[in-house]
Amino acid sequence: MLQYVIYPVQSAYKVELNPNNKQKSLLLNFAGTARFAWNWGLAQRITKYRSNSDRFTDAMKQHKELNILKADEFSWMYDISKSVPQEALRNLDGAFKNFFRDKNKWRFPRFKKKGKSRDSFRLTGSIRIRIRSRKCKRRGKNHTCSNKCSINSSTGIQLPRLGIIRLKEIPDLKDSHIQSVTVSRTADRWFVSLTVSKPDSITTVSDPPTIVGVDLGINHLGITSDRDSYDNPRHLKSKMRKLRKLSKSISRKKYKSSNWYRARKAIATLYKKIADSRNDTLHKMTTEIAVSYDIVVIEDLNVSGMMKNRKLAQSIADVGWGEFRRMMEYKIDNLVIVPRFFPSSKLCSVCWNKKDDLTLSDRVFRCDSCDHEMDRDLNAAMNLKIYGLMYSINPKVAASWSETLNACGEGVRPLDAFISIIEGSADDSGNLDEA
């Protein structure tokens, strides 16, 4: 039986631009204006905070003050779209809000330096996709014009104060409204990210829903509870020899010379190729999982803590566990995040006996209670699926299993109490029945 769920959609499309030399100069000017507005707003906030009066401000107040200064001090900003400094000040305001909300997670906003910070800016207003048809120049008796003729049409995006810039591909924007665009530069290549809103779409959910547990690793990119494994291409390791060669080359160039800039561009291009290959692999993996299942269960990995291990830091960074979770969060609606200290690798997926002496070098899980043998990662994926089944029955108990179980008393182990929940010894309120 299929159930139909209707929900609004807000999507984003990232497309590469194909600007000419004049447009590249304009894009650099726009990015420089956004960087200047950020630095000006940050300096003003620091100065006001150190003074005794009017210590705090916001994006709208700063934008009004910047408009007053345009006539005399910053007259060159009239050639730039007004949304560029305005959106930069909004980003600065959001950075300060994040910092004051959680100072342990977010750092204090810093100044942006030309050549080191990322060149990007956001535009709003009248933004359209232009498709201009042209006649085919292939003329002959036996030639029939078709959609295969690449010269039939040219696609461009119309941006405020920038005009029409050609696109290298046509995004699917049927029945959608463009809200804003973000233009960014990566290794001398310009990209535009379009945020669009689409009408309500309909998706189907099977009844009962299909559920899968995914265990991420290094030897394998991921293993599902249905025994599907995804190989780890090791994109960074495969390009490490070429990267060392380019790094050695730039170290022998004179600083900020023409050859030095050329070598830096080559290194940036290689890094971008590695990142694009990694994102392509993660997109294919996450899309296949999101399309095949209704509920996906993954772990809340402490990636920053694992990166402190200098022997595994490079391999962990090359896998991209954080990017995998970010993609799954927007590709599937029902994503279950297992608590960080849930012992998925140390539990037997058959009898749920905990093996405390399991080490990282043990790649095969052997249960001391039921003599069950299984691949370590596959066993962890099975346990994640069991947790997901428990979550579908009682989300409150499953989501806060550690806190609920620790309150039961010193004589009750959290693992034994959690097993009793799965066996049905917990009431609807999430409290354990007295033995």
Side-chain angles (χ1 to χ4, degrees):
M1 181 179 178
L2 295 178
Q3 298 178 353
Y4 295 90
V5 180
I6 302 176
Y7 61 95
V9 176
Q10 187 175 11
S11 304
Y13 298 88
K14 190 174 183 179
V15 186
E16 184 176 357
L17 296 173
N18 188 18
N20 52 34
N21 293 333
K22 183 178 179 180
Q23 291 172 341
K24 287 182 180 180
S25 301
L26 291 175
L27 292 173
L28 289 174
N29 292 339
F30 274 56
T33 303
R35 182 174 58 251
F36 173 82
W38 171 284
N39 293 336
W40 176 86
L42 179 58
Q44 189 190 49
R45 283 174 179 259
I46 294 175
T47 303
K48 285 192 173 184
Y49 185 80
R50 291 174 178 175
S51 62
N52 296 327
S53 60
D54 194 16
R55 302 178 66 183
F56 298 98
T57 181
D58 55 21
M60 296 305 298
K61 292 181 180 179
Q62 285 192 313
H63 188 246
K64 291 180 180 179
E65 295 178 6
L66 185 61
N67 287 334
I68 297 175
L69 298 176
K70 273 186 181 181
D72 299 330
E73 300 183 21
F74 311 134
S75 58
W76 50 269
M77 298 185 71
Y78 285 109
D79 298 333
I80 309 298
S81 175
K82 64 177 183 179
S83 59
V84 173
Q86 183 177 3
E87 296 298 328
L89 293 175
R90 286 181 178 177
N91 293 339
L92 178 63
D93 189 56
F96 270 99
K97 290 180 180 179
N98 293 334
F99 172 73
F100 287 117
R101 184 174 63 250
D102 189 356
K103 295 183 180 180
N104 295 326
K105 183 179 179 180
W106 304 93
R107 65 184 181 187
F108 188 82
R110 299 190 296 181
F111 291 97
K112 296 183 178 182
K113 185 177 181 180
K114 181 180 179 181
K116 291 188 177 181
S117 62
R118 188 187 183 193
D119 292 334
S120 65
F121 57 92
R122 188 162 66 243
L123 293 172
T124 57
S126 179
I127 303 170
R128 298 178 183 178
I129 300 294
R130 298 290 188 180
I131 301 179
R132 183 178 59 180
S133 300
R134 294 186 294 177
K135 294 182 180 180
C136 181
K137 294 183 179 180
R138 295 180 181 178
R139 295 182 181 179
K141 295 181 180 180
N142 299 327
H143 173 66
T144 303
C145 186
S146 61
N147 293 330
K148 296 181 180 180
C149 298
S150 59
I151 201 172
N152 268 348
S153 62
S154 60
T155 307
I157 181 171
Q158 183 176 355
L159 301 176
R161 292 298 184 95
L162 286 172
I164 299 177
I165 303 178
R166 290 175 295 177
L167 298 174
K168 290 194 175 182
E169 58 182 311
I170 304 175
D172 185 13
L173 301 180
K174 185 178 180 181
D175 299 331
S176 59
H177 174 68
I178 301 177
Q179 296 179 343
S180 63
V181 297
T182 301
V183 183
S184 59
R185 184 177 68 90
T186 304
D188 205 27
R189 296 171 64 183
W190 290 92
F191 297 87
V192 57
S193 179
L194 301 95
T195 304
V196 300
S197 59
K198 291 186 176 182
D200 297 346
S201 62
I202 300 177
T203 185
T204 59
V205 179
S206 58
D207 189 18
T210 56
I211 185 172
V212 67
V214 182
D215 180 73
L216 302 178
I218 296 178
N219 294 331
H220 295 279
L221 186 59
I223 295 181
T224 66
S225 56
D226 291 343
R227 301 178 183 271
D228 296 330
S229 62
Y230 299 89
D231 296 331
N232 183 11
R234 301 181 186 272
H235 300 285
L236 179 60
K237 188 176 181 179
S238 61
K239 299 291 190 301
M240 187 59 66
R241 182 178 180 181
K242 187 176 181 180
L243 186 60
R244 288 196 189 100
K245 184 178 179 180
L246 292 176
S247 300
K248 185 185 294 184
S249 175
I250 194 174
S251 65
R252 297 172 177 174
K253 302 291 190 298
K254 185 178 179 180
Y255 183 62
K256 288 190 176 181
S257 63
S258 298
N259 292 333
W260 184 86
Y261 281 110
R262 190 179 296 109
R264 189 181 69 164
K265 180 181 177 181
I267 294 177
T269 303
L270 181 59
Y271 271 118
K272 186 183 184 306
K273 185 176 182 180
I274 296 173
D276 291 343
S277 301
R278 185 185 298 113
N279 289 335
D280 179 70
T281 302
L282 293 176
H283 270 298
K284 290 178 180 178
M285 177 182 175
T286 53
T287 301
E288 182 179 349
I289 295 175
V291 172
S292 304
Y293 302 97
D294 298 325
I295 301 176
V296 179
V297 188
I298 62 175
E299 291 180 293
D300 182 18
L301 298 174
N302 184 15
V303 181
S304 59
M306 295 180 184
M307 292 284 289
K308 295 180 181 179
N309 186 348
R310 67 183 187 89
K311 295 183 178 180
L312 298 176
Q314 186 181 96
S315 299
I316 293 174
D318 193 14
V319 175
W321 289 338
E323 185 67 13
F324 173 85
R325 175 174 174 175
R326 188 192 70 84
M327 292 181 180
M328 292 301 303
E329 286 177 350
Y330 74 83
K331 287 187 179 183
I332 191 167
D333 297 330
N334 300 320
L335 181 64
V336 180
I337 306 297
V338 178
R340 179 167 295 180
F341 298 102
F342 177 72
S344 61
S345 299
K346 295 184 178 182
L347 294 179
C348 178
S349 58
V350 176
C351 66
W352 273 68
N353 179 51
K354 186 178 180 181
K355 188 175 182 179
D356 294 322
D357 57 348
L358 185 69
T359 61
L360 188 61
S361 60
D362 297 334
R363 304 315 305 171
V364 178
F365 182 87
R366 295 180 176 88
C367 182
D368 300 332
S369 178
C370 64
D371 297 332
H372 173 68
E373 291 189 6
M374 181 181 287
D375 180 76
R376 173 198 181 104
D377 299 331
L378 180 59
N379 179 73
M382 293 288 188
N383 292 326
L384 293 178
K385 182 178 180 180
I386 296 174
Y387 182 94
L389 292 173
M390 183 60 212
Y391 185 88
S392 62
I393 297 173
N394 194 335
K396 294 182 179 180
V397 175
S400 59
W401 69 278
S402 58
E403 293 81 358
T404 303
L405 301 175
N406 290 337
C408 297
E410 297 180 356
V412 180
R413 291 194 309 160
L415 179 62
D416 295 337
F418 184 66
I419 295 174
S420 64
I421 294 177
I422 295 181
E423 294 176 349
S425 61
D427 55 15
D428 295 336
S429 62
N431 299 320
L432 294 176
D433 297 333
E434 296 181 359

